Amino acid sequence: MFRSIFTKYICVFMLTIIVSFVLQTVITSTLIGGYSDTSKEISLSRTAEAVAEYINGEMSEGTSLDEYIEENGQSVNQSLRLLLEYVGDVSVVIADGDGVVIYSAGGYVPDASSDTVYTVSSDLLENIYSGGYSFVSDDSEGVFSNVKYVYGLPIQLNGETVGAVFTCSAKSNTDTLLNSLIRSSILASLWVMLGALVAVYFISERVVRPIRNISAAAKEFAAGKFDVRVPVVGRDEVAELAETFNNMAASLADLENMRSTFLANVSHDLRTPMTTISGYIDGILDGVIPPDKYEHYLRIVKNEVSRLSRLVSSLLDLTRIEAGVRKFTFTEFDICEMAREIIISMEARLSEKNLKVEFDSVSDNIMVNADRDAIYQVLYNICDNAVKFSREGGEYKVSASVYGKKVHVSVYNEGQGIPPEDLPHVFDRFYKSDKSRGLDKTGVGLGLYICKTIMDAHGETIEVKSEYGKFCEFTFTLSPR
């Protein structure tokens, strides 16, 4: 994984840097080359115009260009030398009407005073005679073989073209500048790429190390080591991912712990009544239990069967709820009447514990809209737990009230209550606060989870308040009619 991410980062960084430098070099070279060509052409054209005007002003009528140059060669040479010193990197060539070079000055063209005769092509002369003309002569031969830029103008005397003047220049200093620019760009790009390589290495290592730790922790977690956690470093997205993984691991560890507890409880709750039932039935069949005791022990068997039935019903409810099979039918019913029915059904257990029972309601009837059977299951479960965990002679109170747009149903009991560390988990499935089974010998940790699921399906809430060693109160809401 590390090499893959590192390679991707490097490729992206290097490609970005290379493309950036290439584009920068191309754009800069184009701008500098265009500016240089324009500047050179302007310089050559002005120099050619100055030379042509000078010769036109000095030549007398009836004198050919050859004769003028021959007679005034020293004066022309001196004047053009001064001009060339002023304009700089420029050479001058003067040709007669037939294209024969009769004068040259500057370091980029051959000396016209030598024995070699140089001529300008007829095509070039024709273009020159038709107007000013510029061209690039890297591939030219002869007198312009060593120059790059050339500009030509005709020399006219009294409206007649008698020759042509050419100003030319060698390769511009721009070429040297561009070469230096390219070398500098390559060198700079190499340094930047080296720096990017180092930066990407450390960035990739910083990003990948937590991911690698998460991957290793996930493998250990899959192997059953639920106490594995990933160190959280920094506050970026990767640190958030590590923290999320740790939260997930903690949740899965808690779920695994609850599952183990659930399996142990279910195994115990299945084995105990089945052992009791089997023992008593065997005793009756074997004659160990006398006939006058049959009714007593058959009632015990009946209670154990009911206990098994409740356990199986809870498991079936859980399966149906989690599978989304259980459907709720909303009808109108009186929640106060339901509460009174449940209290009456528990009268024997309430009397057995000498509980101080109270039913408090804002009115005799409060109509609500919900699934009656489901709400009965919720309220009965909460009332049953309240009786189970109430202290001897304690207060037991069921109340119904209306606040705002909701009906609030509460079940309060004095007793041991719920420890603070257990309060966030009371509605988790398989969770049992009474892990010692000292008070709750029949539950498996599904009742409150089923209650919470039913209330969520109704779009309502269920909450618990408790002060350990004093009281516990469950409250859920319903929508009024």
Side-chain angles (χ1 to χ4, degrees):
M1 182 191 300
F2 172 73
R3 293 180 179 176
S4 176
I5 293 178
F6 180 76
T7 302
K8 291 178 181 178
Y9 277 6
I10 284 296
C11 290
V12 171
F13 269 70
M14 297 302 103
L15 184 61
T16 302
I17 292 171
I18 291 173
V19 170
S20 299
F21 274 98
V22 168
L23 288 176
Q24 178 184 357
T25 302
V26 170
I27 293 173
T28 305
S29 300
T30 302
L31 292 175
I32 293 176
Y35 175 78
S36 175
D37 290 343
T38 302
S39 299
K40 184 63 67 175
E41 183 176 350
I42 293 174
S43 175
L44 294 178
S45 64
R46 289 179 178 176
T47 303
E49 291 171 358
V51 173
E53 289 178 1
Y54 170 76
I55 294 177
N56 285 335
E58 294 293 328
M59 285 182 61
S60 58
E61 186 176 351
T63 304
S64 67
L65 185 59
D66 295 19
E67 294 172 345
Y68 170 75
I69 294 296
E70 183 178 355
E71 293 175 359
N72 302 279
Q74 184 175 359
S75 174
V76 170
N77 188 57
Q78 184 178 3
S79 298
L80 293 184
R81 294 288 181 185
L82 292 174
L83 176 63
L84 294 181
E85 288 180 4
Y86 175 76
V87 298
D89 186 29
V90 176
S91 295
V92 176
V93 173
I94 298 176
D96 61 14
D98 298 324
V100 178
V101 176
I102 57 177
Y103 177 84
S104 64
Y108 304 124
V109 292
D111 187 1
S113 62
S114 64
D115 296 335
T116 304
V117 177
Y118 296 95
T119 59
V120 178
S121 67
S122 58
D123 292 338
L124 177 58
L125 282 177
E126 184 178 351
N127 288 328
I128 292 299
Y129 293 156
S130 63
Y133 184 78
S134 62
F135 64 97
V136 177
S137 63
D138 280 331
D139 298 327
S140 299
E141 298 179 356
V143 69
F144 299 126
S145 60
N146 295 323
V147 300
K148 179 178 181 180
Y149 301 96
V150 179
Y151 188 90
L153 281 176
I155 299 176
Q156 295 180 335
L157 182 63
N158 297 324
E160 181 181 354
T161 300
V162 296
V165 56
F166 298 91
T167 53
C168 52
S169 176
K171 291 185 178 182
S172 172
N173 293 333
T174 305
D175 296 335
T176 303
L177 177 62
L178 292 178
N179 291 333
S180 299
L181 176 63
I182 293 173
R183 285 195 299 269
S184 299
S185 297
I186 294 175
L187 183 62
S189 63
L190 291 176
W191 279 108
V192 172
M193 283 190 287
L194 178 61
L197 181 64
V198 175
V200 168
Y201 175 81
F202 286 105
I203 293 174
S204 300
E205 178 65 18
R206 178 180 175 84
V207 171
V208 172
R209 187 188 299 114
I211 299 177
R212 193 164 51 236
N213 293 337
I214 293 174
S215 177
K219 292 178 181 178
E220 293 188 28
F221 210 81
K225 298 180 180 179
F226 298 107
D227 59 340
V228 177
R229 297 294 182 271
V230 178
V232 179
V233 180
R235 297 183 179 179
D236 53 14
E237 291 83 354
V238 178
E240 184 178 352
L241 175 62
E243 187 173 356
T244 302
F245 178 88
N246 289 339
N247 294 336
M248 178 199 69
S251 298
L252 290 176
D254 291 341
L255 183 61
E256 175 62 20
N257 182 55
M258 287 187 291
R259 186 188 66 84
S260 300
T261 303
F262 167 72
L263 291 176
N265 291 341
V266 169
S267 299
H268 177 273
D269 288 333
L270 286 174
R271 184 174 58 251
T272 300
M274 291 177 67
T275 301
T276 302
I277 294 170
S278 176
Y280 289 148
I281 291 177
D282 288 343
I284 292 174
L285 293 176
D286 294 342
V288 176
I289 299 176
D292 59 337
K293 297 290 186 180
Y294 283 179
E295 182 178 354
H296 172 72
Y297 288 106
L298 285 176
R299 289 189 181 279
I300 295 176
V301 170
K302 179 184 177 182
N303 291 334
E304 294 299 324
V305 170
S306 297
R307 180 178 169 186
L308 282 175
S309 178
R310 288 194 301 272
L311 174 60
V312 172
S313 296
S314 295
L315 292 175
L316 288 176
D317 270 348
L318 176 62
T319 303
R320 292 172 59 200
I321 289 173
E322 291 186 337
V325 175
R326 182 170 180 178
K327 304 300 181 182
F328 298 102
T329 303
F330 285 71
T331 58
E332 294 180 2
F333 61 91
D334 186 358
I335 190 65
C336 295
E337 180 184 357
M338 178 182 289
R340 286 190 289 266
E341 289 176 0
I342 293 175
I343 293 175
I344 292 172
S345 68
M346 296 181 177
E347 184 176 359
R349 296 172 59 198
L350 294 171
S351 299
E352 184 181 345
K353 279 196 168 185
N354 297 317
L355 298 179
K356 301 173 183 178
V357 181
E358 180 183 353
F359 177 69
D360 183 19
S361 175
V362 293
S363 64
D364 292 338
N365 304 100
I366 300 178
M367 303 301 293
V368 296
N369 185 32
D371 186 295
R372 191 181 194 286
D373 293 338
I375 299 304
Y376 186 93
Q377 182 179 0
V378 172
L379 185 55
Y380 186 92
N381 190 290
I382 295 175
C383 290
D384 180 69
N385 284 342
V387 175
K388 189 184 304 180
F389 293 103
S390 292
R391 63 176 176 82
E392 188 77 20
E395 182 180 354
Y396 181 92
K397 180 180 180 180
V398 179
S399 60
S401 57
V402 180
Y403 296 109
K405 297 182 179 181
K406 292 292 182 180
V407 175
H408 293 254
V409 181
S410 300
V411 179
Y412 171 93
N413 73 286
E414 292 180 341
Q416 183 178 351
I418 302 173
E421 64 273 13
D422 290 331
L423 279 175
H425 305 288
V426 293
F427 294 110
D428 294 345
R429 58 179 176 176
F430 314 140
Y431 192 84
K432 285 176 62 67
S433 175
D434 183 27
K435 299 179 178 61
S436 66
R437 304 178 66 85
L439 297 174
D440 185 7
K441 301 180 184 297
T442 60
V444 291
L446 293 177
L448 290 178
Y449 172 73
I450 293 174
C451 291
K452 180 69 164 62
T453 306
I454 290 173
M455 299 315 299
D456 288 343
H458 279 70
E460 305 293 347
T461 61
I462 181 169
E463 300 174 346
V464 58
K465 294 189 297 183
S466 179
E467 185 174 345
Y468 189 59
K470 292 186 178 181
F471 75 92
C472 180
E473 182 178 21
F474 283 85
T475 302
F476 64 88
T477 63
L478 291 171
S479 297
R481 177 178 58 182

